[in-house]
Amino acid sequence: MASHFSGVLKLTDLDDFITPSQECVKPVKLEKKQGESVAKIQIEDDGSYFQINQDGGKQKLEKAKITLNDCLACSGCITSAESVLIAQQSQEEIFKVLRNNKLASATDQVVVVVSVSPQSRASLAARFGMSSSETGRRLTSFLKGLGVHHVFDTGFSRTFSLLESQQEFLERFQRKEQDKSALPMLTSACPGWICYAEKTHGEFILPYISTTRSPQQMMGSLVKDYFAEAQGLSPRQIFHVAVMPCYDKKLEASRPDFYLEEAESREVDLVITSGEVLSMLEQEKVILNEVKAAPLDELFSNVNGGELLSHAGGGSGGYLHHVFTHTAKQLFGEEVKELTYKTLKNKDFQEVTLEKDGVVVLRFASTYGFRNIQNLVQKLKRGKSPYHFVEVMACPSGCLNGGGQLKPLPDQTSKDLLQQVERLYKAETASLPEDDTRVSDLYHSWLHNVGAERARQLLRTQYHGVEKISNGLIIKW
């Protein structure tokens, strides 16, 4: 499975980051009841754990299994050990929840919500020869036939991400003279890039990274806060699944920043990839284009007349496009109808500029893939980066080419498949984030307005540098 992760997380040719001289241990939490003393833990020379009771007796303890959350506390990136842990988040988990629901009483059942990314829809659409919207309708029918209650579109939550990114960039641009780390603003929607930044460049790079949540985690807030309250449910009564184009998203959902302490619930309980959805279809012996279509759930879906809408820009969400056009209008009074991309060095490093009176006032770039990311970071460290904003994605060609997307058929090349997925993705009608009245209404009714403290709590996040304890990150070119 490790081969599916984004390139920035596969940094070495080691079999594992955890070398024979190291062992990753999850501390055992002992509960102390009133009037009782806590037992001691003894570690033998062979690494075995024993509990020493008050009467002197010994009891051998099972080794604790390490969760994804624990994994994020180490200083390595994705390795074979972590890829085993990722197996905890698989399509079998959603089948398990659905089976348990059928056996449970009505009061003990959980409400199952699935949020599907536009990139995953496009990947499945290419496999089954349908439009992205038609794929969404048939996928909704398939999932609800299994027992899923609601199917949403993360294109809706992406509208929040784009609007928050616009707002954050304006804030940073206005304080750039006082705060040298305000610009360039680096996008934060790619968890592979975030994990790499936290674990290899730490406190230097983190101030540049946008605090805006990704569409996946925006949907986490919508489902476990707004939707839960509207339905009269606690977050723990909802099982929220996200369908995403890459495995790195499983790590993102496991971050402690997205865990609701009071509710003891994750905002996104499970992430499955586009390929895992195909496995679900195959397991159920279902061919998607033969499934009867069902209406899309419009509560959290970007829909017009039954057809799903998208956003202008690249296949990774259009962050550069929307932040650029919004800033050009707000700060410089320029209506930019079409962006002109200049390719630098390679197709995954492109630049867009805005000139006013012969002077470049905005310089944006998109940087995809590990080599380009490395070059960007080195320029930042040397103080040579000329950019105000950079859309950073770990995978070459961006999210449409994520490691969790469907693989080419025997008679297809990877290039041909990617081009087909891109065509299907871009065939959806583009909408402006600013024109979505439902999102605007939610900003006022749910978040108490743009820029309010509640909006920052639910739509923004933070990052954490991880101290290195090993030389396990050896990059070979």
Side-chain angles (χ1 to χ4, degrees):
M1 186 182 291
S3 62
H4 296 300
F5 287 106
S6 59
V8 300
L9 297 185
K10 296 178 291 180
L11 302 181
T12 76
D13 60 352
L14 300 176
D15 290 333
D16 208 314
F17 173 74
I18 302 173
T19 65
S21 62
Q22 297 172 303
E23 188 169 10
C24 200
V25 177
K26 177 177 172 63
V28 179
K29 182 180 180 181
L30 297 175
E31 299 292 340
K32 181 179 179 181
K33 296 180 181 179
Q34 189 173 2
E36 294 182 355
S37 57
V38 177
K40 295 180 180 179
I41 299 298
Q42 178 178 312
I43 305 176
E44 301 291 331
D45 292 339
D46 64 357
S48 300
Y49 285 73
F50 285 86
Q51 176 178 306
I52 310 299
N53 300 321
Q54 295 301 309
D55 60 4
K58 294 171 65 175
Q59 178 185 354
K60 188 173 181 179
L61 300 175
E62 294 291 329
K63 284 191 176 182
K65 291 185 178 180
I66 301 167
T67 66
L68 288 170
N69 183 43
D70 303 311
C71 256
L72 292 175
C74 85
S75 64
C77 282
I78 296 303
T79 64
S80 57
E82 288 179 304
S83 71
V84 171
L85 296 171
I86 287 292
Q88 297 174 30
Q89 295 203 45
S90 70
Q91 70 269 19
E92 291 307 318
E93 286 301 308
I94 186 172
F95 278 125
K96 179 181 176 182
V97 170
L98 294 170
R99 284 195 300 268
N100 289 342
N101 257 2
K102 290 178 181 178
L103 297 173
S105 64
T107 55
D108 291 332
Q109 291 180 0
V110 293
V111 174
V112 182
V113 174
V114 178
S115 301
V116 184
S117 70
Q119 292 90 350
S120 293
R121 279 202 323 273
S123 183
L124 289 162
R127 172 59 59 92
F128 291 100
M130 298 183 290
S131 71
S132 182
S133 287
E134 186 63 23
T135 299
R137 287 189 285 269
R138 294 178 190 263
L139 186 58
T140 296
S141 180
F142 167 67
L143 292 169
K144 289 190 174 182
L146 294 177
V148 171
H149 299 90
H150 302 276
V151 181
F152 298 139
D153 164 37
T154 63
F156 180 80
S157 55
R158 188 169 67 193
T159 300
F160 281 97
S161 291
L162 293 172
L163 291 172
E164 281 296 305
S165 295
Q166 293 171 357
Q167 178 68 21
E168 183 179 0
F169 181 76
L170 291 178
E171 294 167 2
R172 286 171 173 262
F173 194 90
Q174 289 164 357
R175 70 170 194 265
K176 67 182 187 298
E177 300 302 328
Q178 295 77 35
D179 181 1
K180 297 303 180 184
S181 63
L183 298 178
M185 183 171 111
L186 311 177
T187 55
S188 55
C190 173
W193 145 243
I194 294 299
C195 188
Y196 163 75
E198 288 182 324
K199 292 182 176 183
T200 60
H201 298 288
E203 298 306 319
F204 166 74
I205 201 74
L206 300 185
Y208 294 103
I209 299 177
S210 165
T211 60
T212 297
R213 290 184 180 215
S214 71
Q216 172 180 292
Q217 295 310 137
M218 287 287 190
M219 189 61 85
S221 282
L222 283 161
V223 169
K224 290 293 181 97
D225 191 276
Y226 177 83
F227 178 75
E229 185 177 347
Q231 297 291 312
L233 301 169
S234 73
R236 291 189 68 182
Q237 291 175 291
I238 300 173
F239 189 76
H240 183 201
V241 182
V243 177
M244 288 289 144
C246 78
Y247 285 87
D248 299 350
K249 286 290 183 180
K250 297 172 187 274
L251 286 174
E252 180 180 35
S254 302
R255 291 176 67 89
D257 307 276
F258 304 130
Y259 182 79
L260 304 171
E261 293 286 351
E262 290 187 12
E264 297 181 335
S265 173
R266 295 201 178 281
E267 294 177 332
V268 178
D269 297 287
L270 172 68
V271 175
I272 57 175
T273 64
S274 316
E276 287 170 312
V277 172
L278 180 62
S279 296
M280 290 176 67
L281 289 162
E282 292 172 345
Q283 185 171 332
E284 294 296 304
K285 297 180 172 56
V286 171
I287 299 173
L288 190 59
N289 54 9
E290 295 178 359
V291 175
K292 185 178 179 181
L296 296 161
D297 284 303
E298 296 194 11
L299 177 62
F300 295 148
S301 292
N302 205 5
V303 180
N304 182 26
E307 295 296 306
L308 285 157
L309 302 175
S310 187
H311 296 102
S316 296
Y319 289 89
L320 183 155
H321 179 100
H322 289 283
V323 175
F324 187 90
T325 54
H326 183 75
T327 304
K329 182 177 181 179
Q330 293 296 315
L331 296 185
F332 302 103
E334 297 287 337
E335 290 273 1
V336 180
K337 299 295 185 184
E338 187 173 342
L339 274 64
T340 301
Y341 290 84
K342 178 183 178 182
T343 300
L344 309 175
K345 293 186 178 180
N346 56 70
K347 66 181 179 62
D348 280 326
F349 201 133
Q350 296 187 312
E351 182 181 278
V352 179
T353 59
L354 175 69
E355 288 190 15
K356 196 171 179 67
D357 300 326
V359 178
V360 174
V361 292
L362 289 179
R363 190 182 297 273
F364 283 30
S366 60
T367 300
Y368 294 174
F370 182 49
R371 289 179 184 270
N372 288 329
I373 289 174
Q374 279 287 89
N375 290 333
L376 171 68
V377 172
Q378 292 307 314
K379 283 184 177 180
L380 278 171
K381 287 190 170 182
R382 295 196 302 267
K384 301 292 185 181
S385 172
Y387 301 112
H388 297 104
F389 178 97
V390 186
E391 183 179 291
V392 186
M393 298 291 160
C395 293
S397 299
C399 296
L400 290 174
N401 192 38
Q405 297 283 70
L406 274 60
K407 305 309 175 191
L409 294 169
D411 60 346
Q412 279 182 312
T413 66
S414 296
K415 182 179 178 180
D416 288 342
L417 175 59
L418 178 58
Q419 289 176 344
Q420 184 182 4
V421 173
E422 287 176 340
R423 284 195 299 271
L424 289 163
Y425 176 86
K426 292 181 178 179
E428 292 182 342
T429 302
S431 62
L432 284 174
E434 299 90 331
D435 291 345
D436 195 320
T437 56
R438 293 177 305 152
V439 169
S440 178
D441 290 343
L442 282 171
Y443 261 107
H444 290 87
S445 63
W446 173 47
L447 300 169
H448 307 161
N449 219 335
V450 176
E453 181 59 29
R454 180 167 169 78
R456 290 184 178 275
Q457 289 175 354
L458 292 170
L459 306 184
R460 302 284 181 101
T461 187
Q462 56 187 338
Y463 313 104
H464 319 279
V466 178
E467 184 180 353
K468 294 181 183 179
I469 57 173
S470 166
N471 63 349
L473 297 177
I474 303 172
I475 301 171
K476 288 192 174 184
W477 298 104

